[in-house]
């Protein structure tokens, strides 16, 4: 009786393409994936297999989510919807040297925080249980410059998963912030979406079917990234539980 049939979406995959909102509000332009699919120099690299299709072709979920929730609940008869929070929407710029959730909270974008509260409340009002993925591939540019790391993964400054000493504590603090901020509306949390897809398409075998930033072929780096994501999952799991007493957390 309590089984939840659901569907899955992710912010970067569905948010762009708003019919009336200005593109700069609709699109999250501060992520490595935005850079990855819009940068002309990256698009011109044939080995990355980037289409160059404009984000305006997206379904506009950032604006049309209430319609989408109604379709999910009433036409598909779903009881849950898995979605994601975009780290780079909440923290478009680096928070600097912070070590607690309280310190991090002072750097959150208030408009993005309010927008996500409205979003989750609308989902619940439609009769859908939110399952929220904290990291569905995208990373803020300040923690991962996919273009620079594609050019030289050893010298790029914002190295993402190649720099576990930076990203693991940072993503754990972010997870803790989200759990504390949105825990009243969200009980089901996922830490990372499909870690192996990040490893495979970003660091081992980028190809015609798919490339992820930084789109390099580096087996030793792929192993390092895999272990970084394992550590990140564990740290995020602990951070969510520490900040949301009713949370259920998985991968």
């Amino acid at each position: 009786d309590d089984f939840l049939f659901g569907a899955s979406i992710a912010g970067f995959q569905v948010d762009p393409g708003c019919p009336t909102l200005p593109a700069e509000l609709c699109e999250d332009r501060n992520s490595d994936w935005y850079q990855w699919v819009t940068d002309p120099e990256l698009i011109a690299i044939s080995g990355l297999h980037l289409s160059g299709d404009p984000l305006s072709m997206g379904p506009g979920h950032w604006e049309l989510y209430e319609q989408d929730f109604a379709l999910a609940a009433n036409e598909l008869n779903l009881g849950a919807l898995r979605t994601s929070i975009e780290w780079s929407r909440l923290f478009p710029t680096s928070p600097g040297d912070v070590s607690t959730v309280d310190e991090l909270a002072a750097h959150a974008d208030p408009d993005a925080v309010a927008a996500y509260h409205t979003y989750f409340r609308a989902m619940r009002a439609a009769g859908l249980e939110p399952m929220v993925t904290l990291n569905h591939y995208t990373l803020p540019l300040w923690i991962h410059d996919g273009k620079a790391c594609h050019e030289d993964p050893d010298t790029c400054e914002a190295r993402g998963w190649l720099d576990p000493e930076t990203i693991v504590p940072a993503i754990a603090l972010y997870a803790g912030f989200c759990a504390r901020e949105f825990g009243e509306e969200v009980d089901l949390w996922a830490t990372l979406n499909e870690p192996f897809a990040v490893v495979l398409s970003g660091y081992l075998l980028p190809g015609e079917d798919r490339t992820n930033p930084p789109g390099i072929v580096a087996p030793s780096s792929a192993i390092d990234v895999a272990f970084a994501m394992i550590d990140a999952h564990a740290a995020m799991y602990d951070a969510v539980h520490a900040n949301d007493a009713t949370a259920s957390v998985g991968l």
Side-chain angles (χ1 to χ4, degrees):
D1 289 341
D2 59 356
F3 186 85
L4 294 170
F5 284 94
S8 179
I9 58 176
F12 183 76
Q13 295 172 349
V14 299
D15 284 351
C18 300
T20 67
L21 279 180
E24 62 270 19
L25 297 179
C26 177
E27 300 167 359
D28 174 18
R29 297 182 171 181
N30 298 294
S31 78
D32 58 347
W33 267 91
Y34 180 87
Q35 176 196 57
W36 194 244
V37 303
T38 61
D39 185 278
E41 293 180 353
L42 289 171
I43 293 168
I45 300 172
S46 61
L48 294 180
H49 306 282
L50 298 168
S51 70
D53 292 338
L55 289 177
S56 59
M57 294 175 63
H61 181 71
W62 188 248
E63 179 178 358
L64 303 176
Y65 59 84
E66 288 185 317
Q67 295 179 33
D68 294 337
F69 294 162
L71 289 167
N74 300 326
E75 293 205 14
L76 295 179
N77 293 300
L78 301 182
L81 189 66
R82 185 169 78 100
T83 186
S84 72
I85 294 175
E86 296 298 284
W87 187 359
S88 45
R89 279 198 189 272
L90 287 176
F91 298 96
T93 59
S94 171
D97 186 16
V98 296
S99 59
T100 68
V101 170
D102 284 336
E103 291 172 345
L104 179 64
H107 297 272
D109 182 286
D111 292 335
V113 171
Y116 278 119
H117 275 298
T118 302
Y119 179 85
F120 295 134
R121 288 166 185 159
M123 191 184 297
R124 285 201 170 277
L128 298 167
E129 178 83 15
M131 174 179 269
V132 176
T133 308
L134 288 159
N135 180 244
H136 198 122
Y137 298 143
T138 57
L139 297 172
L141 272 173
W142 52 265
I143 209 162
H144 187 220
D145 185 335
K147 182 179 181 181
C149 291
H150 175 76
E151 294 168 353
D152 192 333
D154 295 322
T155 62
C156 60
E157 293 185 4
R159 302 182 71 225
W161 293 113
L162 289 171
D163 182 9
E165 292 185 1
T166 298
I167 194 171
V168 171
I171 203 168
L173 277 180
Y174 154 72
F177 167 81
C178 290
R180 191 180 72 177
E181 181 67 37
F182 305 112
E184 296 260 332
E185 293 130 15
V186 179
D187 296 317
L188 306 176
W189 297 93
T191 54
L192 306 170
N193 180 76
E194 298 174 6
F196 186 65
V198 175
V199 175
L200 185 67
S201 301
Y203 300 89
L204 191 60
L205 288 172
E208 186 174 353
D209 290 335
R210 178 168 178 167
T211 59
N212 290 16
I216 59 176
V217 179
S220 62
S221 294
I223 294 170
D224 293 340
V225 167
F227 278 99
M229 298 187 85
I230 291 169
D231 289 341
H233 162 69
M236 295 168 78
Y237 176 95
D238 289 341
V240 172
H241 278 299
N243 288 277
D244 180 4
T246 62
S248 293
V249 190
L251 185 67

